[in-house]
């Protein structure tokens, strides 16, 4: 096969028809198009021989190859104790549910799963790899998965949604990773909006130089300093009036007083029968897992909170439809080229 041939499936993702082992971080994903076609044809020709779980595993493999920008590594996608069939049923049962309900339901699937720091693979010296691991979570990857799940109508586009949530420009690359919580509302693509100021009249806005330590050195070498306004609600001002304006599924960041950082922890606001909770992947020694922490007890001891709210899925669905059209057009073009 001519290694110079390239096939474009969408404006964001370009696939080089080269040997898969040569794929590098920041470069296009590597796919053998004939083999991909053969695999899709086999799935289409004999669906009765495969159960839904088998089809889903196959589609996950294809999706990760198409959208990750890196070579697929089986041990980097692990649903742990969340059964695939359970995900399918949850997608179907909540297809028309509002974002708040989806976030509440999907986030509950992770309760009790272990906290684990540093599960993502990538640095300035290590190639970035796409990681999906439901059994080893930190506070931020937990939100990655919940936000990606709530926008997915099936498992088939979940991997792509993780990439959209975790990275900017769809590039699985360490320097394109959304390292800061406020990246969610400042970098494309955006699926949440900052509602902090509308939740409380006590909001304070400060200008911070993200990624710049007090001594001027960066937290993340190679990443530019980001001048950014961060609004937060002081912890000691959070009261019943504040709670009344929070909604299920609001993403909560614990404001960081430390220079160069926006938040130190993240979680999800959840209303329960026994009171409001901060659902979070907790690294406290008594927890080390995803738990529901009494909200007021937790946040009133903190410098403050940042509040982001999920945007309705209509815009996301429109983007998914657009991507699907580009993908289909790309497959047709590839078939004609061959």
């Amino acid at each position: 096969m001519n290694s110079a041939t390239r096939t474009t499936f969408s404006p964001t993702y370009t696939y080089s028809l080269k040997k898969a082992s040569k794929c590098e971080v920041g470069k296009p994903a590597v796919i053998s198009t004939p083999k991909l076609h053969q695999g899709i044809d086999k799935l289409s020709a004999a669906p009765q021989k495969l159960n839904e779980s088998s089809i889903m595993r196959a589609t996950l493999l294809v999706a990760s190859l198409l959208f990750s920008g890196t070579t697929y590594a089986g041990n980097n996608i692990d649903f742990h104790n969340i059964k695939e069939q359970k995900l399918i049923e949850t997608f179907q049962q909540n297809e028309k549910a509002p974002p708040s309900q989806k976030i509440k339901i999907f986030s509950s699937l992770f309760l009790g799963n272990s906290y684990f720091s540093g599960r993502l693979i990538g640095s300035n010296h290590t190639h970035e790899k796409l990681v999906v691991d439901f059994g080893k979570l930190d506070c931020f990857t937990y939100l990655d998965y919940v936000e990606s799940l709530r926008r997915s109508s099936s498992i088939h586009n979940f991997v792509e949604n993780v990439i959209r949530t975790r990275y900017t420009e769809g590039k699985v690359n360490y320097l394109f990773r959304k390292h800061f919580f406020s990246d969610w509302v400042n970098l494309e693509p955006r699926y949440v909006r900052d509602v902090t100021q509308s939740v409380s009249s006590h909001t304070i806005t400060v200008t911070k130089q993200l990624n710049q330590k007090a001594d001027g050195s960066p937290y993340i070498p190679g990443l530019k300093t980001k001048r950014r306004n961060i609004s937060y609600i002081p912890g000691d001002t959070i009261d019943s009036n504040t709670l009344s304006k929070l909604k299920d599924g609001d993403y909560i960041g614990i404001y960081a007083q430390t220079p160069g950082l926006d938040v130190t922890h993240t979680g999800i606001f959840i209303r329960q029968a026994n009171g409001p909770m901060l659902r979070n992947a907790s690294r406290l020694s008594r927890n080390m897992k995803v738990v529901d922490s009494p909200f007021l007890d937790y946040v009133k001891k903190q410098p403050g909170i940042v509040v982001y709210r999920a945007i309705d899925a209509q815009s996301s669905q429109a983007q998914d439809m657009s991507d699907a059209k580009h993908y289909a057009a790309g497959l047709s073009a590839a078939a004609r080229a061959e």
Side-chain angles (χ1 to χ4, degrees):
M1 182 178 294
N2 185 351
S3 63
T5 304
R6 301 180 67 84
T7 304
T8 302
F9 297 101
S10 78
T12 304
Y13 307 105
T14 305
Y15 307 99
S16 174
L17 307 183
K18 295 181 180 180
K19 195 173 181 180
S21 61
K22 300 298 183 181
C23 190
E24 294 180 10
V25 166
K27 295 187 178 181
V30 181
I31 297 171
S32 172
T33 304
K35 290 182 179 179
L36 176 61
H37 287 180
Q38 292 168 13
I40 292 174
D41 290 343
K42 287 179 180 179
L43 283 175
S44 302
Q48 69 276 11
K49 296 182 180 180
L50 295 170
N51 59 31
E52 192 163 12
S53 178
S54 299
I55 294 174
M56 181 164 62
R57 289 182 184 277
T59 352
L60 264 178
L61 172 59
V62 173
S64 62
L65 281 168
L66 290 178
F67 298 112
S68 70
T70 58
T71 305
Y72 173 75
N75 63 345
N76 289 331
I77 295 184
D78 184 359
F79 289 165
H80 189 54
N81 61 339
I82 301 178
K83 302 299 182 183
E84 296 165 355
Q85 186 59 37
K86 177 63 177 178
L87 286 177
I88 293 169
E89 292 172 356
T90 307
F91 287 134
Q92 293 172 343
Q93 293 167 1
N94 297 278
E95 182 180 3
K96 297 182 180 180
S100 59
Q101 182 178 327
K102 289 184 178 181
I103 292 169
K104 187 173 186 176
I105 291 173
F106 280 115
S107 65
S108 70
L109 301 179
F110 295 84
L111 285 169
N113 286 10
S114 298
Y115 177 91
F116 189 91
S117 178
R119 178 64 182 92
L120 297 187
I121 300 172
S123 69
N124 285 311
H125 310 292
T126 306
H127 287 176
E128 184 85 1
K129 294 183 179 180
L130 180 66
V131 173
V132 176
D133 191 340
F134 288 178
K136 295 180 179 179
L137 308 158
D138 62 31
C139 67
F140 211 177
T141 57
Y142 175 43
L143 266 60
D144 278 349
Y145 301 141
V146 172
E147 172 57 22
S148 299
L149 284 167
R150 76 96 181 168
R151 297 199 318 274
S152 299
S153 58
S154 72
I155 199 67
H156 300 190
N157 65 337
F158 168 67
V159 172
E160 183 186 8
N161 280 334
V162 171
I163 295 169
R164 288 175 173 170
T165 302
R166 184 176 292 162
Y167 302 95
T168 185
E169 297 183 22
K171 296 180 179 179
V172 181
N173 183 302
Y174 181 69
L175 295 181
F176 283 80
R177 193 192 297 175
K178 296 179 181 179
H179 293 277
F180 299 95
F181 189 46
S182 56
D183 286 345
W184 275 28
V185 296
N186 284 277
L187 300 179
E188 297 291 348
R190 304 177 197 180
Y191 301 105
V192 302
R193 58 193 176 95
D194 189 345
V195 297
T196 309
Q197 293 187 15
S198 66
V199 169
S200 173
S201 60
H202 300 289
T203 301
I204 295 173
T205 300
V206 297
T207 300
K208 306 201 75 171
Q209 303 291 337
L210 298 186
N211 196 42
Q212 182 175 299
K213 299 179 182 179
D215 63 5
S217 63
Y219 285 98
I220 303 169
L223 188 68
K224 293 181 179 180
T225 298
K226 304 178 182 185
R227 180 182 173 87
R228 189 168 289 170
N229 291 332
I230 306 296
S231 297
Y232 71 97
I233 305 167
D236 58 7
T237 70
I238 298 172
D239 54 19
S240 58
N241 185 53
T242 309
L243 293 179
S244 70
K245 296 181 180 179
L246 289 171
K247 294 185 178 181
D248 268 332
D250 280 349
Y251 295 118
I252 306 297
I254 303 301
Y255 175 71
Q257 294 176 317
T258 306
L261 301 178
D262 52 4
V263 302
T264 57
H265 188 56
T266 60
I268 303 170
F269 179 80
I270 300 292
R271 294 187 190 278
Q272 299 284 54
N274 55 342
M277 298 289 167
L278 180 70
R279 184 166 290 169
N280 65 113
S282 173
R283 65 178 177 181
L284 295 178
S285 58
R286 65 176 180 270
N287 294 326
M288 294 299 291
K289 60 185 178 182
V290 177
V291 299
D292 280 349
S293 305
F295 187 80
L296 283 177
D297 290 349
Y298 192 100
V299 301
K300 288 185 84 61
K301 300 174 184 176
Q302 307 298 332
I305 63 171
V306 175
V307 186
Y308 295 160
R309 185 165 295 160
I311 298 172
D312 190 84
Q314 288 183 347
S315 57
S316 299
Q317 291 172 349
Q319 181 63 50
D320 288 341
M321 291 178 65
S322 175
D323 287 344
K325 290 179 180 178
H326 284 294
Y327 171 65
L331 286 180
S332 298
R336 289 195 299 271
E338 292 168 4

